[in-house]
Amino acid sequence: MEEALVRAVLFGTPILLAALGALLAERSGVVNLGVEGIMALSALAAFAAALGAGPFLGVVAGVGAGVALALFLGLFAITLRANPFVAGLAVAALGLGASGMLGKRYEGVPLETALPEAPLALSALFLALLLHLLLYRSRFGLYLRSVGENPKAADLFGVSVEGVRYLALGLGGGLIGLGGAYLSLAYRPSWTDGMTAGLGWVAIALVILAAWEPLRAVFGAYLFGLLFFLQFRLQGSVPIPSEAFAAMPYLLVILVLALSGRSRAPKALGQPFERGR
Amino acid sequence: MRKRVWLLALLLGMGLAQGEKLKACFIYVGPVGDAGWTYAHDVGRKKAEAALPWLETRYVESVPEAQALPVMDRFVQEGCKVIFATSFGYMEAVLEAAKKYPEVIFAHATGFKRAPNVATYMADFYQVYYLNGLAAGALTKSGKVGYVAAFPIPEVKRHINAFALGVRAVNPKAQVLVRWINAWYDPAKAREATEALLAQGADVFAFTEDTPTVIQTAAKKGAYAFGHYTPMLKFAPDHVVSGQIVHWDAIYIDFLKKVKEGVYTPKNLQKVDYFWLLQHKAVEMGADYGVPINPKHVPLLQKARMRVGGKEVPVYDRILALLKDMSSPKPTFDPFTGPIQDRKGVVRIPAGRKASLQELLTMEWAAPGVVGDWPGEPK
């Protein structure tokens, strides 16, 4: 049992970090479908930097890559007012493709000094709490939420809608990048093409499951981690085929989603803002 | 005028020189940097090109199965005379292309359907898994050996069974706990499956999937592991005992030489099927190239004993003796020699007989000692 809880937290951590990052952007009204690609590129950046300059700078590089790629998405989704869904998918593809191409020389290279998982997992939990306080207990949080709900009104009150959105998307990119760094420096201290294996997409779904609430995202990420672990722990000891087990985390997420009632998305989510319209 | 003649001669000469080169093209299902399946094929391609001066190669990577035919069309237009398709899922596309281009030679890895211009090939690990099973049986203290497996298909089942037979030959009470991840490549699943097995007490690990995740996870808890497919010693130098390593170049070089010499033509491949093992040097037992057993673990394996024909022998000696035998031109030992019962007690290979190739390729039963879900297990 204890083992299962530990696994729930340790495997839930990258999902949590990525979900927090996506959530932050979405609360400001920007959809970020690029999570998977941002995570992949950050994982590579973190791994490459850690090989040369140690794991601490690896984390910095991972977060930096996350911020940079998220701001690149912002250029299209916020400034150029491109369709944010298409732009996000393009960033996902770009991140996955670029990391695969640039990462060839890091294949099969072991990382001498890996980061311990527990401290990173704890800081992820701490970041969730911090994000909660930021959203609900700070002036910036108020601006951020108002930009996500009613950008026109926020604009009238003198809040820079684009500025807040860039900040939220960029900070969120940093969180996603941290999730990527956790994958390649701690959870599995090596790099291979496609090592995010869909975790970014799970994180995007988790944002909805968590109803855009950071503390609910903690619960959801750990639930996913627990189910993921249990499918292997229980396999063979209960008469359920392994293929059904493999689908279980996803099925249960859908079930929870259906039971959790209607969760309300930020009203201006996915709508590019243009002053005077 | 004279200039023109020279030019013409030169062009002709270049044309002839080019014509002398045999163009072989490879179609890969994954990226060449996956450190697993496709990577190993690409190493084989490069070694073949280095060994055969008259060979010219090309490849296209990450080709989804539905895209295989257009890629092969392109290969033929570009003058490929031999096309290697390296994924099971390309089977139908290869047969279709072979019909369309009867003058081109095709070779399909892991397939079972052939045609006059389609051969099949495979480098198989079951002997090596058996040898690693012997080592695993000697090393486990808990009597529980973990096995993280990709998909429940005959190839993987054959390897698990060979491994389990080895484990039980040394340690008749040991169990091989199998967990399926239903993916060739998913580090997160491999990691959590390993964690689940560790939580259940497994202290030695083997696997069939395309990442070193199992090794890294096992090493963190001090458990032993066997590498798979490529040399993986570097991922945990103190914990990787041995492993399976592939050498596709052995097959590629042999095949291409025979094409060049005219032994293989687009008309006579109906029965050409490579199922290459230790004796053909298509596979190797080892933690790294040329390192059959990690020197750090040799003393442990020398101390461990097993009964062979009524005599006590060190497990280490037994492994090396069998490795030598199976690597020789005329092996006398085969892991799947009867009598072998499955885990339900049904006789699968009668006494005194070796499993046929057909039996190996369609193996669905589970060996004694294998514990866990086993999709497709015969009643």
Side-chain angles (χ1 to χ4, degrees), chain A:
Chain A
M1 194 59 221
E2 195 194 319
E3 178 72 26
L5 290 179
V6 170
R7 293 315 316 158
V9 172
L10 293 185
F11 178 62
T13 294
I15 302 173
L16 174 61
L17 285 167
L20 290 177
L23 186 151
L24 182 60
E26 297 207 353
R27 285 308 284 262
S28 79
V30 187
V31 179
N32 183 353
L33 291 188
V35 179
E36 180 84 5
I38 296 176
M39 237 177 152
L41 195 66
S42 299
L44 172 64
F47 187 78
L51 272 190
F56 178 72
L57 281 178
V59 172
V60 174
V63 171
V67 172
L69 196 53
L71 291 179
F72 181 68
L73 169 62
L75 177 68
F76 292 93
I78 301 173
T79 305
L80 298 175
R81 296 181 189 85
N83 180 324
F85 298 97
V86 175
L89 290 176
V91 164
L94 177 74
L96 282 171
S99 62
M101 202 176 70
L102 300 173
K104 280 211 166 89
R105 46 191 289 228
Y106 299 106
E107 295 281 354
V109 178
L111 188 64
E112 297 294 332
T113 44
L115 281 177
E117 289 163 292
L120 273 170
L122 274 181
S123 39
L125 192 61
F126 176 73
L127 284 169
L129 200 66
L130 201 70
L131 193 58
H132 176 82
L133 293 177
L134 178 85
L135 279 178
Y136 296 107
R137 296 271 185 280
S138 77
R139 183 168 291 253
F140 176 68
L142 190 67
Y143 290 160
L144 194 144
R145 283 182 292 136
S146 65
V147 164
E149 295 290 339
N150 192 342
K152 223 178 227 171
D155 185 53
L156 284 175
F157 278 102
V159 178
S160 161
V161 173
E162 295 201 345
V164 169
R165 285 185 170 178
Y166 262 112
L167 199 60
L169 187 63
L171 283 176
L175 286 168
I176 299 166
L178 187 60
Y182 176 87
L183 279 183
S184 65
L185 301 182
Y187 182 78
R188 194 181 153 241
S190 56
W191 194 83
T192 26
D193 191 10
M195 69 181 293
T196 44
L199 291 182
W201 303 111
V202 172
I204 289 172
L206 181 61
V207 175
I208 305 167
L209 171 68
W212 291 269
E213 299 282 351
L215 298 183
R216 280 210 204 180
V218 174
F219 172 76
Y222 292 170
L223 176 71
F224 193 86
L226 181 69
L227 292 171
F228 200 78
F229 172 77
L230 282 183
Q231 65 167 301
F232 300 110
R233 187 74 176 81
L234 298 178
Q235 196 187 101
S237 43
V238 278
I240 301 173
S242 62
E243 290 89 347
F245 266 120
M248 205 160 285
Y250 305 96
L251 290 177
L252 274 160
V253 165
I254 292 171
L255 191 72
V256 174
L257 200 62
L259 292 180
S260 67
R262 284 171 293 139
S263 56
R264 209 185 60 83
K267 268 208 187 104
L269 184 60
Q271 298 170 5
F273 175 72
E274 208 164 341
R275 182 171 281 170
R277 287 228 177 147

